[in-house]
Amino acid sequence: MSATDPYTVQLTPEVHAYLQPDGGWCLNNAGFVSDGESTLLVDTAATERRARALREAILGAGLPLPRTVVNTHHHGDHTYGNGVFPEAVVIGHDSCRSEVLAAGHQLHLLWPQTDFGNITITAPTMTYNDRLTVHVSDVEVRLIHPGGVAHTPGDTIVHLPGQRVVFTGDLIFQGGTPFIPMGSLSGSLRALDVLRSLDATTVVPGHGPITDPSAYDATERYLRYVAELAQQGHAEGLTPLETAREADLGVFAELRESERLVANLHRAYAELDGRPEGSPLDAAAVFGDMAEMNGGVPVACHA
């Protein structure tokens, strides 16, 4: 196995995390919960090939294919592979369903050179608004919307209280730069307080290696840094790109995808302008500015 191959980590007798190194663009994490009789899958993958590898990993662990798929949010790297699990009922937040349907083959538009395979857009058919509990035999799986808009309007935290495990979706990028242009800066900070309240000891982020609750503080420090930069740049009449170019990333320069700073500033500026959380931004401007911050090269999907 190479350092870039996906791999499975057994967290408890019932819970596995499925990680796709190195957690960069389109390389998300998933996970599965099983008692050996039934299986619940948390998120899928960005391409048909990667979703089929996830399917084989579940079988390779000696477990049945999932009857249930939970989507932590609508982005294609977490949902494109839903159709590879036709046996399963897909569950997500109300807004996750509507956003999946509205986005369609959005990743194809962003990265037309990527071989996504045969992707059938498969939205959640069972939705919830605030909280929903699913049981996999004796394992309680709590689905929690953090309230309002965070990474997206329809985020789901997957909390296993008995195992003290939480799957955060993209509320947490471990070792990677948070990404909030489709969500909310203030809402992302509020979501961290929800995560802290759950008292989990094992944290499976949406991207990057398994971590612990220290990731919440690290994410908060970055988001507050973005807020301070935005306030200063906005007051000086600078564009998000100008602010990002002048910024000293300091310790945050170590995070992958540092070019996301300018995308996050676009969101922070929108909130300073009084626009509603999650209101659509100009995607061409956001990704164009990220390309400028990426040395003039468009960001690449690594799937």
Side-chain angles (χ1 to χ4, degrees), residues 27-149:
L27 294 176
N28 67 301
N29 295 331
F32 42 97
V33 182
S34 184
D35 63 349
E37 298 294 328
S38 63
T39 301
L40 177 147
L41 174 62
V42 180
D43 283 336
T44 55
T47 68
E48 180 188 7
R49 176 179 64 85
R50 287 182 175 273
R52 292 197 181 282
L54 171 57
R55 186 180 172 96
E56 290 304 314
I58 296 169
L59 294 173
L63 301 174
L65 289 170
R67 297 178 185 172
T68 307
V69 171
V70 175
N71 287 151
T72 59
H73 60 293
H74 75 275
H75 288 160
D77 51 337
H78 297 258
T79 62
Y80 259 20
N82 287 355
V84 171
F85 298 90
E87 311 90 348
V89 173
V90 182
I91 302 176
H93 186 264
D94 295 340
S95 294
C96 178
R97 172 179 166 81
S98 60
E99 294 286 343
V100 166
L101 294 172
H105 289 89
Q106 189 174 61
L107 296 190
H108 290 67
L109 300 177
L110 293 172
W111 290 290
Q113 304 306 315
T114 298
D115 180 9
F116 290 104
N118 182 18
I119 298 298
T120 301
I121 300 301
T122 305
T125 55
M126 181 181 294
T127 64
Y128 75 101
N129 182 258
D130 180 33
R131 296 191 177 214
L132 176 69
T133 301
V134 182
H135 296 271
V136 181
S137 188
D138 294 333
V139 180
E140 183 180 352
V141 182
R142 296 180 181 174
L143 310 184
I144 303 167
H145 184 244
V149 180

Side-chain angles (χ1 to χ4, degrees), residues 158-231:
V158 181
H159 179 217
L160 283 64
Q163 290 68 34
R164 301 189 73 187
V165 173
V166 64
F167 292 85
T168 69
D170 286 359
L171 299 173
I172 301 293
F173 290 78
Q174 178 65 8
T177 302
F179 189 62
I180 59 169
M182 299 176 191
S184 164
L185 174 56
S186 51
S188 293
L189 287 167
R190 292 194 302 269
L192 294 175
D193 289 334
V194 176
L195 285 167
R196 289 185 178 108
S197 75
L198 301 179
D199 198 32
T201 54
T202 301
V203 175
V204 184
H207 297 253
I210 296 166
T211 183
D212 57 45
S214 67
Y216 308 154
D217 292 341
T219 300
E220 180 172 1
R221 285 192 292 271
Y222 176 84
L223 293 174
R224 294 203 180 280
Y225 162 78
V226 171
E228 291 172 7
L229 272 183
Q231 287 172 347

